Amino acid sequence: APPVQQRMAQIELRAGEYDAVERRLLALIDKLDPKRDAALRARALITLASSYVRRNAFEKADEAYVEAIALRGDANDPEVLGLAYLGRGIALAQHARFDEASAALGRARIELETAGDALGVAQVDVNLGDFLVMRHRPADALPMLESAAQRFERLGAREGLVYTLVEIAGVERELLDPAAALAATERFWPPEAHTSNPRMQWIATRARIEALAASGRLAEAESLVERVRTHADPVRDAALRTEVEAVAARIALARGDRAGALRLANVALTEGLRQSDRLLYARTLSLKGAALRDGGSNDEAGVAVAGLRDLAASSGDEAIALGAVLAEADQAWAERRRDVALRAYAAAMQRAERLDMPSALVAVGARYVEALIDASHLDEARSIGGRLAPWADRDLSAAWVQVLLYRALDRADAERSALAAATRLAGDGVLPDVTQAPAGASNAR
C-alpha cells in the first residue's frame, strides 16, 4: 500500500539507506496522482528530498521541496508545509542564498509550531545555527546550537542530538577551544551507542578525529582514520572518506611528515571534496601549497595558490577568500618578494579582523608575526602577537608565536615558559626548530 511504502522509505532514511529510499519513492511518486493523492505525494517528496540533502544533491532536493509546497500550499496541512519549508531552507543555504533560506526557515517554524511539532521546531533551530556557521559566525552560532541540543535531548531525538553535537564540536574548533570540542564528541562517543544510522556514525567519527587532532592526541586520531579507511563504505560513505583523508593530511603535517601530508592532500583534493566541504577543500589546497613550499617546490606551490584564488573567486566565501590572500602572501615570501608579502599579510590581517573568527585570525597572525620577525619589524610583530595571546594557552599556532616573539626579544625565561606551553599543546606532534627563523613553518598548525 502506498502509505506503507512511504513509511518504509522513512525507516530506510533513518538507517542511512539512501539508494533504497530513492528507488522506492521514485517508483511510488510515479503512481501518485498530484490531485487525488496530494498529501501522500507531498510527504513522499519530502522524504525523497531529505535523502538528496544527505547526498549533497541540493538542486534535486530543492525541486522536490518546491513541488511539495505547491501541492499543500492551499491546504490546512502545517506539518507537511513546515517540513517542506525547513528542507527548502537547508537546500537554499547550500547555494549561499541565505536571505531566502532564512525566510523559508521562518515560515517553517510558524507551520511546525502550529502543528505542535516540537521535533520539527528543534530542527529549524539547529539549521539556523548551521546558517551562522556557514556565514562564519561561530560565536553567534554556539548558543543556538546548544539550545537545539537541549531540545533534542529532552525529546529523545538521538540522531538530531548527534548531528547537533557534531556541529557544536566544529564550532568549538573554530573558536580555538579544543577541550570543549572534545567534550562535545564525548557526548556521542561511541557513535553506535547513540545512532543506528551508519552514515551518521561516520560523520560523528570524523568530528571525533578532528577534535582529537586539535587536542594533540594524534595517535588516537590516526587510529580512527584507519577505522574509517577499513570499515566505511567506499560508495555510500565516499564523501566522508575523502574528507577524512583531508584531515589525515593535516595530522601528517602536525607530525612533521611533509611528504605524507602532500600525498594525502593529493588523495583528498577531488571534485567530491569540493562539493561536500568547500572550506575543507580550500584548506587542503592551502596545505598542499605550504608543503610544496617547505620542500622548495615554489613553482608547483604557485599552481596550488592559483587554484585557491580561482576557488575564492567562484565561491564568494569570505573565509576562502581570506585563505587565498594568505596563501599569496606565503608564496610571495617564499619567492623573496618580501615587500609584496608583507603588504599581503597586512591585508589578510585586516580581513581576518573583520571576519571575527578566531581560527582565521590566529592562522593569519601567526604567519604575519613570523614574517615580521624575520624582517626585523619587532614592534609590529609584538603588536600582532599580542592580538593572538588570548589563545596561546589552547592553540599551538598562537603559543608558537609567543615562543618566537620572546626569542626575538631575547627574553629567555619567557621563551622557555612559552616553549613549555607549545610543547604541551603539540601533544604527539612536533614543533618547528626553534633555532630557525621559520616564516611559514606553522602553516598546518
Side-chain angles (χ1 to χ4, degrees):
V4 175
Q5 293 296 315
Q6 160 63 8
R7 291 295 294 151
M8 287 293 294
Q10 289 179 317
I11 292 168
E12 290 163 342
L13 182 72
R14 291 296 180 188
E17 300 292 341
Y18 306 135
D19 285 337
V21 172
E22 291 165 25
R23 283 195 301 269
R24 186 185 298 276
L25 288 184
L26 287 171
L28 175 62
I29 290 167
D30 193 49
K31 299 174 184 176
L32 296 175
D33 184 86
K35 293 182 179 179
R36 186 182 65 248
D37 304 309
L40 184 57
R41 183 181 174 96
R43 288 181 178 274
L45 284 163
I46 289 170
T47 304
L48 177 63
S50 295
S51 76
Y52 288 149
V53 166
R54 286 161 171 79
R55 298 174 70 149
N56 300 318
F58 296 108
E59 291 184 5
K60 286 185 177 181
D62 188 46
E63 290 174 5
Y65 286 128
V66 167
E67 183 179 347
I69 290 167
L71 286 169
R72 305 305 286 161
D74 296 328
N76 183 22
D77 196 349
E79 183 177 7
V80 168
L81 279 174
L83 293 174
Y85 276 112
L86 168 61
R88 181 148 202 255
I90 295 169
L92 288 168
Q94 299 303 316
H95 296 288
R97 295 164 62 181
F98 291 113
D99 290 342
E100 294 171 79
S102 296
L105 286 197
R107 175 67 184 272
R109 207 176 205 285
I110 292 171
E111 298 290 349
L112 292 167
E113 285 180 338
T114 300
D117 186 345
L119 178 59
V121 172
Q123 289 171 327
V124 170
D125 287 350
V126 76
N127 280 287
L128 285 170
D130 280 347
F131 289 3
L132 292 170
V133 172
M134 294 165 71
R135 298 173 93 163
H136 308 301
R137 293 166 55 189
D140 294 332
L142 187 57
M144 190 167 290
L145 291 170
E146 288 175 337
S147 175
Q150 291 170 5
R151 285 174 179 257
F152 284 128
E153 195 161 27
R154 285 197 303 270
L155 293 166
R158 299 196 310 162
E159 185 161 323
L161 177 59
V162 171
Y163 174 82
T164 307
L165 290 171
V166 165
E167 294 297 289
I168 288 172
V171 165
E172 296 286 16
R173 290 196 312 275
E174 297 294 355
L175 292 173
L176 299 182
D177 195 341
L182 198 57
T185 70
E186 293 287 354
R187 294 176 62 186
F188 60 65
W189 201 257
E192 58 271 17
H194 299 273
T195 173
S196 58
N197 183 343
R199 311 287 81 76
M200 183 58 68
Q201 290 171 13
W202 292 121
I203 290 170
T205 301
R206 173 193 159 178
R208 178 74 170 174
I209 291 168
E210 292 188 294
L212 287 167
S215 301
R217 293 162 61 175
L218 304 186
E220 292 174 74
E222 288 166 333
S223 176
L224 291 180
V225 168
E226 287 304 318
R227 185 186 299 182
V228 171
R229 289 169 175 162
T230 303
H231 298 292
D233 189 284
V235 176
R236 288 180 288 185
D237 300 309
L240 183 283
R241 287 168 65 99
T242 305
E243 291 161 12
V244 168
E245 294 298 344
V247 177
R250 298 210 307 268
I251 294 171
L253 205 55
R255 287 269 195 206
D257 181 5
R258 183 188 62 80
L262 187 57
R263 176 179 59 80
L264 290 167
N266 283 327
V267 169
L269 286 168
T270 63
E271 183 59 28
L273 180 62
R274 182 170 177 153
Q275 294 297 323
S276 71
D277 193 328
R278 193 168 50 191
L279 183 56
L280 181 58
Y281 181 95
R283 287 173 170 171
T284 306
L285 193 56
S286 179
L287 180 151
K288 177 179 178 178
L292 287 166
R293 281 189 296 273
D294 286 347
S297 301
N298 286 342
D299 290 345
E300 291 179 70
V303 175
V305 172
L308 191 55
R309 186 168 51 243
D310 291 344
L311 179 64
S314 64
S315 70
D317 186 301
E318 181 59 28
I320 294 175
L322 172 61
V325 174
L326 180 57
E328 288 174 347
D330 287 339
Q331 186 70 18
W333 189 265
E335 294 171 352
R336 298 190 173 277
R337 294 181 287 121
R338 299 299 172 89
D339 290 342
V340 172
L342 289 172
R343 287 195 296 271
Y345 283 127
M349 195 68 190
Q350 290 177 345
R351 296 180 78 142
E353 293 275 9
R354 290 197 301 271
L355 194 57
D356 194 24
M357 193 174 168
S359 60
L361 186 68
V362 170
V364 173
R367 258 115 88 206
Y368 191 16
V369 168
E370 292 178 19
L372 287 168
I373 291 172
D374 204 33
S376 299
H377 297 174
L378 294 188
D379 285 342
E380 291 177 73
R382 187 158 33 189
S383 175
I384 301 299
R387 285 287 291 114
L388 310 189
W391 297 283
D393 64 341
R394 60 189 191 184
D395 178 79
L396 179 56
S397 287
W400 184 247
V401 162
Q402 310 310 309
V403 175
L404 296 179
L405 273 172
Y406 290 133
R407 173 175 171 263
L409 296 170
D410 198 23
R411 294 173 57 183
D413 289 344
E415 181 187 344
R416 280 192 293 271
S417 178
L419 184 58
T423 301
R424 172 181 58 82
L425 290 167
D428 301 337
V430 299
L431 291 172
D433 185 352
V434 78
T435 64
Q436 303 299 313
S442 62
N443 281 350
R445 305 302 185 196

